[in-house]
Amino acid sequence: MDARSRERGFVWRHRHAAVLAAVVALMVGAWVARSAPRPLLWVAAAVAVAVLSWWAVGRMRLTARRRAIARTDLSELDLMSGTEFEEHVAGLMQVHGYSAVTVVGGAEDGGADILARSPRGQAVVVQCKRWRHRVPPNDVRAFIGTLNSGYDGYQGMFVASNGFTEAAARAGGEHMVLVDRDGLARWMGGVEVPVPPRA
């Protein structure tokens, strides 16, 4: 069973328990609201339980992602599809403090695979390449064009499962954060989280 399947199974089992608890709490709250001397207090308590259940589902999802990432090694990245790799990078971002993480990649993504906010609050656009070879400079330059033309105010991050050629690293180094295979290993291990520098 791969990491994504384990994560889905963990969330699936616990999400249903949290949703059932919220529904029961709301039903009990509604019943008590009709028959209790202080109905607003009971309604507020039921709403609080529902909000707590929603929060708990979010925490369980984050915990499941952490577990899936901890069980994933670099060799598994090589077996992922491009879409799975984008989801993996999005999970890394969520686990390590990025917010509003949205996977937007696809055939017509315009060079942007993930949009997010860094732990410092910066808008970030991410390009992901899960390739068997190093990313050449023309792809890095294309992403620089994407940043300049459609993502004004965003910081760029380019994540490549097999790294960059020397020319590509030179081309992108001043314009964005480059995350190569070693950087991915450190990120997955929680040793070093790539964050764009302050603008």
Side-chain angles (χ1 to χ4, degrees), residues 9 18 61 68 93 97 106 112 133 155 180:
R61 185 175 291 125
M93 295 177 84
H133 57 84
Q155 299 293 315
D180 60 11

Side-chain angles (χ1 to χ4, degrees), residues 4-196:
R4 289 186 68 194
S5 298
R6 288 191 296 263
E7 177 187 343
R8 281 194 297 266
F10 179 86
V11 172
W12 182 260
R13 288 189 303 273
H14 292 83
R15 181 184 339 192
H16 289 309
V19 169
L20 180 60
V23 168
V24 169
L26 288 173
M27 290 173 60
V28 169
W31 175 76
V32 170
R34 287 191 216 151
S35 58
R38 300 165 89 184
L40 287 179
L41 178 66
W42 287 100
V43 169
V47 169
V49 168
V51 168
L52 185 62
S53 297
W54 173 81
W55 175 84
V57 167
R59 297 304 298 174
M60 286 184 284
R61 185 175 291 125
L62 191 59
T63 298
R65 281 204 179 246
R66 279 193 182 107
R67 288 180 180 172
I69 287 167
R71 292 181 183 140
T72 303
D73 62 24
L74 288 177
S75 65
E76 288 183 70
L77 297 183
D78 298 329
L79 303 175
M80 291 180 179
S81 68
T83 301
E84 288 171 334
F85 184 61
E86 290 167 10
E87 291 287 345
H88 179 74
V89 172
L92 278 170
M93 295 177 84
Q94 289 172 329
V95 164
H96 291 107
Y98 282 80
S99 59
V101 178
T102 307
V103 178
V104 294
E108 304 296 323
D109 62 20
D113 294 321
I114 302 169
L115 301 176
R117 287 231 165 250
S118 77
R120 297 175 180 158
Q122 302 150 294
V124 179
V125 59
V126 183
Q127 172 68 248
C128 300
K129 294 291 185 196
R130 207 282 313 139
W131 285 352
R132 298 191 187 284
H133 57 84
R134 294 181 176 195
V135 173
N138 57 325
D139 287 277
V140 171
R141 289 189 197 106
F143 187 49
I144 292 170
T146 297
L147 289 170
N148 292 333
S149 64
Y151 291 93
D152 189 38
Y154 280 76
Q155 299 293 315
M157 182 186 299
F158 201 130
V159 183
S161 64
N162 273 302
F164 305 87
T165 65
E166 287 184 25
R170 282 195 305 274
E174 294 181 12
H175 301 278
M176 67 191 77
V177 174
L178 299 174
V179 182
D180 60 11
R181 195 169 182 87
D182 290 338
L184 264 171
R186 291 192 300 274
W187 192 3
M188 289 165 62
V191 175
E192 182 181 336
V193 178
V195 177

